[in-house]
Amino acid sequence: MPIVGALLVGASRVNRQLFTFITMEDGPLEWPQFFCFAAASIVGFGVALKRLRSGHPWQGLLFVAFGLATFLIAGEEISWGQRVFGWQTPADLAAINHQGETTVHNIRWVQELLGMLLAIASGIAMLLPFASKKFTFGKRWDQGDFLLAPPLFSISCFFAMFAYKVIRFAFFPDSDFTVTKFGEWPELCFASGLLLFAYLNYRRLSGRVAPVLSANTEQARVAK
């Protein structure tokens, strides 16, 4: 879906009006981003609570940080409700915010730093499922295979963001309207990947996923 979606959003550029509608502020791609980040935040705090209650404080704190980060991104996505409630941007912030909004991520140096962080975070998320197998996260830390690495099928969500940022840094350092607005799709993919990661962990910790039996265990069960 992330790859097919990227092709479809890119193809919509043949009609500037359609492309503008799809990628506009508060449009079909931006509000789903907000809901995915907000839901990931809520579920992430739920995972943190479960880990803290089960006696795994450092894992719990990791998901507290996850919940806070996704909450902040969700708020930034909709300018903390500015366009919903219609308040004015403080003059000092408007002077350094290139979109004139009540946001931090649209301040130039913050935007550049955030772009680098998103590229790094996406790259790490793509590598973690393989690192988990090699370094046996599950044997080192309780539930480590799942809590510390997204499922393999979700890495295409993070690949969309990683590829977009790398291409933008390499070929479009001074990006134009098309390149900038196309970024709404990778952002939605990234948000979806985080939500999937948080939700599947919460579901597993809630006991809604059947344990995977080893071949020997399954044979013994059948024999019995």
Side-chain angles (χ1 to χ4, degrees):
M1 286 181 65
I3 306 305
V4 172
L7 295 175
L8 291 175
V9 173
S12 72
R13 183 60 182 87
V14 299
N15 185 316
R16 184 182 176 94
Q17 193 172 19
L18 174 62
F19 180 77
T20 301
F21 169 74
I22 292 173
T23 61
M24 68 181 183
E25 296 286 337
D26 298 326
L29 295 183
E30 186 163 271
W31 273 105
Q33 290 174 38
F34 165 74
F35 287 118
C36 284
F37 281 124
S41 177
I42 294 169
V43 179
F45 284 127
V47 173
L49 186 60
K50 286 182 176 294
R51 290 282 86 187
L52 292 170
R53 285 178 171 175
S54 64
H56 297 89
W58 73 267
Q59 292 180 353
L61 291 175
L62 278 178
F63 276 89
V64 168
F66 175 93
L68 288 172
T70 46
F71 171 77
L72 291 173
I73 297 173
E76 287 282 305
E77 280 298 323
I78 59 169
S79 302
W80 301 98
Q82 180 179 18
R83 295 186 298 274
V84 176
F85 301 106
W87 68 68
Q88 296 298 312
T89 305
D92 290 344
L93 181 57
I96 58 175
N97 186 301
H98 70 85
Q99 289 190 356
E101 298 177 339
T102 309
T103 57
V104 174
H105 78 279
N106 285 321
I107 299 171
R108 181 64 63 185
W109 70 269
V110 176
Q111 194 171 45
E112 293 173 356
L113 176 62
L114 183 60
M116 291 182 5
L117 290 176
L118 284 173
I120 293 170
S122 299
I124 292 174
M126 291 165 55
L127 292 174
L128 280 173
F130 304 100
S132 177
K133 299 295 183 184
K134 180 174 178 58
F135 298 105
T136 58
F137 288 178
K139 291 182 180 179
R140 295 169 184 267
W141 305 290
D142 181 62
Q143 302 290 327
D145 285 345
F146 310 103
L147 291 168
L148 305 180
L152 187 61
F153 78 88
S154 71
I155 65 172
S156 60
C157 295
F158 302 108
F159 173 76
M161 175 62 80
F162 180 77
Y164 170 73
K165 289 299 182 183
V166 169
I167 292 172
R168 185 167 174 177
F169 292 148
F171 301 106
F172 303 100
D174 299 318
S175 55
D176 58 10
F177 167 80
T178 301
V179 175
T180 301
K181 300 307 289 183
F182 180 83
E184 296 294 337
W185 177 253
E187 288 179 20
L188 177 57
C189 294
F190 184 77
S192 300
L194 293 181
L195 176 56
L196 279 169
F197 170 63
Y199 167 71
L200 290 175
N201 271 311
Y202 186 86
R203 185 179 176 190
R204 181 174 295 279
L205 294 174
S206 299
R208 297 176 187 172
V209 178
V212 178
L213 300 177
S214 68
N216 291 337
T217 303
E218 178 66 7
Q219 289 173 4
R221 186 187 67 79
V222 172
K224 183 177 178 180

